[in-house]
Amino acid sequence: MKVVKVHQKTNMIEMTRGDTLRVRFKAMSGDSEYQYKEGDRLFFYCRPRSEKDNARLPTITKEISTATGELHLEPEDTKKLNANEFVYDIELQKANGDIDTIINRADLKLYPEVY
């Protein structure tokens, strides 16, 4: 069993490099969950926390299903990354052209494997 931690208050994700991540995100509109419309798209963007590492370390861009709101990272998405601290955000691109950042600059800690 793999352990991935998602801290509810801060949205920080902690995981081991090369593990699978499946986590559901909700877009809120006031006190209720936003109802996705046809043509809406959700994206996960992740990059190294350190500005100086941006040019050297790869980033992750994944589309999140609006049907489920689930982000799914495959082992290949993180396997070749250095164990490091990253930041991510979740962006909603609405069909009408509006863009809303759902989660802004949350932390993602990627731990090395033991082997």
Side-chain angles (χ1 to χ4, degrees):
M1 180 168 138
K2 297 175 184 171
V3 177
V4 174
K5 294 180 186 174
V6 179
H7 300 270
Q8 296 299 315
K9 289 186 179 186
T10 63
N11 292 312
M12 183 173 94
I13 298 171
E14 294 182 87
M15 64 181 291
T16 300
R17 179 178 54 199
D19 281 1
T20 300
L21 173 71
R22 292 180 195 269
V23 62
R24 185 174 186 274
F25 291 97
K26 293 181 187 178
M28 301 301 288
S29 178
D31 290 335
S32 59
E33 188 171 349
Y34 173 77
Q35 298 302 308
Y36 298 108
K37 307 203 177 24
E38 186 175 336
D40 286 352
R41 299 174 75 190
L42 267 178
F43 288 93
F44 169 85
Y45 298 107
C46 182
R47 66 167 180 75
R49 174 180 261 309
S50 170
E51 299 291 333
K52 66 180 180 168
D53 288 336
N54 281 341
R56 292 194 319 238
L57 295 174
T59 58
I60 303 169
T61 300
K62 294 286 273 195
E63 187 162 2
I64 300 170
S65 166
T66 55
T68 63
E70 183 179 87
L71 168 64
H72 181 197
L73 293 182
E74 298 283 355
E76 311 74 67
D77 293 324
T78 61
K79 190 78 171 164
K80 294 182 181 176
L81 296 178
N82 293 331
N84 206 333
E85 292 187 6
F86 295 82
V87 291
Y88 75 92
D89 63 18
I90 305 287
E91 181 179 279
L92 171 61
Q93 297 177 3
K94 294 182 179 177
N96 69 4
D98 290 351
I99 296 177
D100 293 328
T101 301
I102 306 303
I103 295 176
N104 187 24
R105 202 172 168 85
D107 292 321
L108 185 149
K109 283 188 145 188
L110 196 60
Y111 296 106
E113 309 94 329
V114 174
Y115 55 92

